[in-house]
Amino acid sequence: MKSKTVLEFSDVQAISAAAAAEATKNSWAVTIAIVDDGGHLLHLQRLDGAAPISAHIAPAKAHTAAMGRRESKIYEDMINGGRFSFLSAPELKGLLEGGVPILKDGQCLGAVGVSGVKSSEDAQIARAGMAAIGL
């Protein structure tokens, strides 16, 4: 039997706080979602001024990153490159940049999804959050 590393509540809190700090520092109104390795929502934070739709998009991006074990931008790039069949992939709804998997020792622990500003800025916020736990 193997053991696996999992996100603890303190990890989720640290990721959320650091991601929110990055967004606030840049005056970006976003929603931040954190999911476990199965794409199940652990945390959702909609900052003041964030559009209501971002509360749906951020978890979808996180879910996609966790389930695919890769950044959601990869799917966006494939679709933009003409591989439209990914639009029908089951369980992958957040096919936009801004979902980043949380990887440690080659294993996916979950993902962070952010929505509300430019997609590259969403990803920047997600990575800032993950840096809080050394990843």
Side-chain angles (χ1 to χ4, degrees):
M1 184 175 296
K2 294 182 180 183
S3 297
K4 74 177 195 175
T5 304
V6 296
L7 291 173
E8 295 181 343
F9 184 63
S10 60
D11 299 321
V12 172
Q13 288 179 308
I15 293 167
S16 175
E22 179 72 11
T24 301
K25 175 182 85 174
N26 291 290
S27 300
W28 293 334
V30 299
T31 296
I32 301 158
I34 303 168
V35 301
D36 65 13
D37 61 336
H40 304 100
L41 189 62
L42 298 174
H43 179 79
L44 181 72
Q45 181 178 11
R46 187 172 146 211
L47 301 182
D48 292 341
I53 191 67
S54 67
H56 293 278
I57 296 171
K61 288 179 179 183
H63 182 268
T64 294
M67 297 299 288
R69 309 308 202 235
R70 61 185 70 178
E71 292 199 24
S72 56
K73 181 183 186 329
I74 291 172
Y75 298 106
E76 180 180 10
D77 290 344
M78 282 192 281
I79 292 163
N80 288 340
R83 198 142 180 229
F84 303 116
S85 60
F86 267 98
L87 292 172
S88 66
E91 297 301 318
L92 298 181
K93 300 171 194 156
L95 302 173
L96 304 165
E97 182 177 8
V100 181
I102 303 169
L103 302 172
K104 183 176 182 186
D105 301 326
Q107 299 296 313
C108 182
L109 309 181
V112 181
V114 179
S115 179
V117 288
K118 293 178 186 174
S119 291
S120 60
E121 295 166 345
D122 289 340
Q124 175 184 330
I125 295 166
R127 287 189 193 94
M130 291 168 31
I133 60 168
L135 300 176

